[in-house]
Amino acid sequence: FLARAFHRGGIPSQLLDQSLQVIETLCGHYLRHLSDDTLLLRIRRRRQAQRPRERELTKATTRAENGLEVLVWQVYCRDARTGTFRERELGLLSGGQLRRVSIALSLAFAEYICHQLGYRSNLLVLDEALQQLDQEGARRLASLLPQLQRETVLVIAHENASFLVDIADAHDVVERASGRSTVHCDTGFLETELAGDSFPGRSELVPQAQLRR
């Protein structure tokens, strides 16, 4: 009985399904905000047939199984004409759509792991999260940041930094020139010098916005 219960198709499989369902639900919450309810993510398990060489390499773990189980990410886009969701291949998504899905999934994973391990981090770091987002996407992400359950949110951005001006408590700018970095802490530099998304004729500037609670 115990052998069947703890077989990969028993309790471990049920626990995995429950975890995927929770992550999918959390991801859906963030994705609705980031995409204005136009994107949907489904996470599914699928058994994938193996070639002879692959079966030989994995026979120690798969035993008598006929295939390798993989996780499949399915993205659905809302049809503007009918209002229904239709699956779209990942390769057909725009850069902004992929970025929205990636951010929502990352936030969902972080929240799920904290819940499962029984601790809560007071710091969240988002590195280049605003890249590939259009103005509406950047605005939606910026409006989501204050709602996250973190005392401090650190956003590192080269693009769309102007959308953080109104919500950030501090703006630090890292200036890199001649192999050295200089940090301008909590200045108005972000609002004035870095209002645009390109900075011709200047050394590399990395604005960092900090949201403190």
Side-chain angles (χ1 to χ4, degrees):
F1 171 78
L2 289 178
R4 291 195 304 271
F6 287 95
H7 184 264
R8 62 183 300 175
I11 293 177
S13 179
Q14 294 180 9
L15 292 175
L16 177 58
D17 286 337
Q18 291 176 4
S19 298
L20 293 179
Q21 184 177 4
V22 173
I23 293 172
E24 184 180 288
T25 301
L26 293 172
C27 181
H29 166 73
Y30 292 118
L31 199 51
R32 279 192 297 273
H33 184 97
L34 293 172
S35 69
D36 194 20
D37 199 22
T38 59
L39 292 174
L40 185 67
L41 178 68
R42 290 286 181 257
I43 307 174
R44 296 291 181 264
R45 294 194 297 160
R46 179 179 299 171
R47 189 163 300 283
Q48 180 175 286
Q50 292 179 278
R51 294 188 291 270
R53 177 57 179 166
E54 291 175 335
R55 286 197 295 269
E56 179 67 23
L57 292 174
T58 60
K59 66 180 181 180
T61 56
T62 59
R63 301 295 182 183
E65 302 290 345
N66 295 323
L68 180 67
E69 197 169 68
V70 297
L71 295 180
V72 179
W73 316 101
Q74 297 173 310
V75 178
Y76 296 81
C77 298
R78 187 184 293 277
D79 189 299
R81 183 172 56 86
T82 64
T84 59
F85 282 98
R86 295 185 178 181
E87 185 177 1
R88 181 171 296 180
E89 296 182 9
L90 295 181
L92 297 180
L93 295 175
S94 68
Q97 289 173 324
L98 280 174
R99 176 63 69 181
R100 287 172 169 86
V101 173
S102 175
I103 293 172
L105 193 55
S106 296
L107 293 175
F109 268 120
E111 186 171 344
Y112 176 75
I113 290 173
C114 287
H115 175 75
Q116 287 297 104
L117 296 181
Y119 77 91
R120 183 173 297 277
S121 172
N122 63 353
L123 172 66
L124 177 65
V125 179
L126 297 176
D127 189 6
E128 303 296 353
L130 294 170
Q131 277 191 339
Q132 297 183 316
L133 291 177
D134 56 13
Q135 292 188 354
E136 178 62 20
R139 187 162 32 246
R140 286 187 169 275
L141 177 57
S143 67
L144 176 64
L145 298 182
Q147 304 176 31
L148 301 177
Q149 299 299 314
R150 296 292 192 276
E151 293 181 10
T152 301
V153 178
L154 176 63
V155 182
I156 303 172
H158 283 83
E159 301 177 4
N160 293 319
S162 57
F163 290 97
L164 303 174
V165 171
D166 294 332
I167 64 170
D169 297 320
H171 308 123
D172 300 338
V173 177
V174 180
E175 182 176 359
R176 300 174 60 183
S178 303
R180 301 184 61 181
S181 298
T182 303
V183 181
H184 305 273
C185 296
D186 200 13
T187 67
F189 203 25
L190 180 64
E191 185 173 3
T192 56
E193 298 288 344
L194 303 183
D197 293 331
S198 61
F199 320 106
R202 299 191 60 85
S203 56
E204 184 177 359
L205 297 175
V206 185
Q208 302 183 23
Q210 301 180 21
L211 283 71
R212 302 191 184 99
R213 290 177 180 269

